Amino acid sequence: MNITPPPLTPLHLGALHPVEQALTIVLAFGPFAVLGVVIAVRRRREAAEDAAEAEPAADPQRER
């Protein structure tokens, strides 16, 4: 009884094409970049809202 092991697929298929390298980098770091942009935009909006609330509202009734 001669048992032969199944053929193994190589784990490394060679160097990536430059487009594949760029896609890999975008997929790896893109979500973190998008998250950083979202956090920055939200902080700016919240800071602008806080500044608007801190300023005294111009009340036309008080000016008279």
Side-chain angles (χ1 to χ4, degrees):
M1 185 148 109
N2 188 4
I3 299 174
T4 60
L8 297 175
T9 304
L11 297 177
H12 188 272
L13 300 175
L16 293 176
H17 187 271
V19 174
E20 293 172 328
Q21 287 179 341
L23 182 61
T24 301
I25 290 170
V26 168
L27 288 174
F29 298 108
F32 296 106
V34 171
L35 179 62
V37 169
V38 168
I39 289 172
V41 168
R42 288 294 300 161
R43 285 185 179 172
R44 286 183 188 164
R45 284 185 188 168
E46 289 177 1
E49 288 174 4
D50 290 343
E53 289 176 1
E55 293 177 3
D59 191 7
Q61 302 259 342
R62 289 188 177 188
E63 292 178 5
R64 291 183 183 184

